[in-house]
Amino acid sequence: MRIVAITNQKGGVGKTTTAINLAACLAQRGIRVLLIDLDPQANATSGLGMAQEDGGSLYPALVLGTDPHAAIRPTRLPNLSIIRSHQELAGCEIELAQSGNHLARLREVLHPLRSSGHFDYILLDCPPSLGVLMTSALAAADELLVPLQCEYFGLEGLSKIVHVVQQIRECGANPDLRLEGIVMTMYDSRANLSQQVVGDVRNYFAEIIYNSIIPRSVRLGEAPSFGKSIIEYEPNGRGATAYRALAAEFLARRVENKG
Ligand SMILES: Nc1ncnc2c1ncn2[C@@H]1O[C@H](COP(=O)(O)OP(=O)(O)O)[C@@H](O)[C@H]1O
Ligand SMILES: [Mg+2]
C-alpha cells in the first residue's frame, strides 16, 4: 500500500483533475484506490458527483480522533472509494496548528487505513498553498506526484516544491518522502511555450517526468461539472486516453522499482 500526495502549491494546475482521473483509471484496471479530498474547496468530491456532508470529511478523524474508516464512501466506479471533503476541513488549518505535533497527525490518522489491507493506493488531493493540510500530506505520504502546468511560471513553483520536500525530509517529519513524478498538464501542442516548458522539465528532471502528457482539453474541463471522471464523460477522447496512459505508466514504474 502506498500513499501518494498530489501536490503543487499553485492552484489551477490540474491537481484535482489528475487526482480524479488517475484514481478512476487505476480503479478501472482493478487497482483498489481510496481518493482522499483534502482540499476544503471539495472539488474532487463534487467532481465525482458526490455531495458534501457535515462531518463527512476527514475532519472528525483529524480533530476528534474518530475512526477514519467511517468516512469512506464508495463511488459509482468499482474499486474507487473516496473520503469526501467539506468546508469544515478549513478548520483543521487552525486546530491542527494549535495542537502540538501537527505535522504527524494526518500520518497517524491514515495509519489504520494503511494497515487495513483494503486499498492498494491512497491518493491525496491536496489544497493549494503551503498550509497545514498540505504539509501534513507531505509528512503522511510515501510519494509525491506533482502536476505541472505547461506554462512559464510552472517551473518556478517546482523549485519551491523540491525545497519543501527537502525540508520535510530533513526535519524528520518524513525522511523517506520521495518526489516520485511530475506530470505535465494542459499541454497545448500549438503553443511553442508548452513544448519549451516540457523540454526544460525534461532537462532538469529527466528521471521523474512522466512521458504521458495531459493535453488541454475542453472535455477534461467540463467533466467535473457533470460529476464525472473523464473515463465516464468521454471514454474515447484525448483526455481519457492521456490519463489511461498515465495510469499505465504509474503502475509500470512501480513494477520496475521493485525489480
Ligand atoms: N487538461 C486540462 N484541460 C482543460 N482544462 C483543464 C485541464 N485540467 C484541468 N482543467 C481545468 O482547469 C481548472 C483547474 O484544474 P484543477 O484540476 O481543479 O486544478 P487544481 O486542483 O490544481 O486547482 C479546472 O476548471 C479544471 O476543470
Ligand atoms: Mg484542486
Side-chain angles (χ1 to χ4, degrees):
M1 216 289 304
R2 306 284 287 169
I3 300 180
V4 182
I6 298 178
T7 314
N8 185 329
Q9 75 280 8
K10 278 191 73 175
V13 299
K15 287 185 293 296
T16 299
T17 305
T18 297
I20 289 176
N21 293 307
L22 177 60
C25 291
L26 289 171
Q28 195 175 42
R29 300 175 72 101
I31 308 291
R32 299 164 307 163
V33 184
L34 174 64
L35 173 62
I36 302 184
D37 188 350
L38 275 182
D39 186 346
Q41 293 186 49
N43 293 336
T45 302
S46 60
L48 277 170
M50 310 284 295
Q52 295 177 45
E53 186 189 331
D54 282 356
S57 73
L58 207 57
Y59 179 87
L62 281 166
V63 175
L64 309 170
T66 61
D67 183 354
H69 283 100
I72 298 174
R73 293 290 176 273
T75 68
R76 280 188 311 272
L77 298 169
N79 301 318
L80 178 57
S81 302
I82 186 170
I83 294 182
R84 295 166 296 169
S85 176
H86 181 275
Q87 203 184 324
E88 67 196 1
L89 260 187
C92 286
E93 293 280 344
I94 299 159
E95 308 221 16
L96 290 185
Q98 284 170 348
S99 75
N101 190 9
H102 70 265
L103 266 184
R105 183 66 193 135
L106 179 63
R107 196 182 177 85
E108 283 167 19
V109 164
L110 296 185
H111 188 74
L113 300 178
R114 192 193 273 283
S115 48
S116 73
H118 292 326
F119 302 105
D120 300 309
Y121 287 98
I122 295 180
L123 302 188
L124 306 174
D125 184 27
C126 294
S129 93
L130 286 164
V132 169
L133 281 167
M134 171 167 159
T135 46
S136 299
L138 296 185
D142 301 302
E143 309 170 7
L144 193 64
L145 176 60
V146 177
L148 204 68
Q149 205 177 337
C150 294
E151 56 141 82
Y152 178 70
F153 290 113
L155 277 169
E156 275 188 351
L158 193 53
S159 52
K160 202 172 204 170
I161 295 167
V162 170
H163 182 66
V164 173
V165 169
Q166 223 160 5
Q167 283 180 320
I168 293 273
R169 280 198 207 120
E170 284 165 8
C171 78
N174 189 358
D176 300 324
L177 178 64
R178 253 175 16 109
L179 175 50
E180 183 277 334
I182 297 171
V183 53
M184 304 306 297
T185 63
M186 304 189 210
Y187 182 82
D188 180 350
S189 56
R190 289 163 306 179
N192 289 336
L193 183 61
S194 269
Q195 296 167 25
Q196 241 173 55
V197 173
V198 171
D200 283 351
V201 177
R202 282 218 172 103
N203 282 338
Y204 290 108
F205 296 93
E207 299 90 50
I208 59 172
I209 185 174
Y210 275 95
N211 291 321
S212 315
I213 292 179
I214 309 302
R216 185 174 282 285
S217 131
V218 172
R219 296 294 194 184
L220 274 174
E222 281 172 1
S225 61
F226 295 92
K228 287 183 174 171
S229 68
I230 196 65
I231 60 172
E232 299 162 279
Y233 185 62
E234 197 198 25
N236 298 315
R238 289 188 309 144
T241 304
Y243 274 110
R244 274 197 294 268
L246 179 67
E249 202 182 345
F250 178 91
L251 292 173
R253 274 192 185 183
R254 277 143 186 87
V255 173
E256 280 166 24
N257 288 343
K258 272 185 199 149

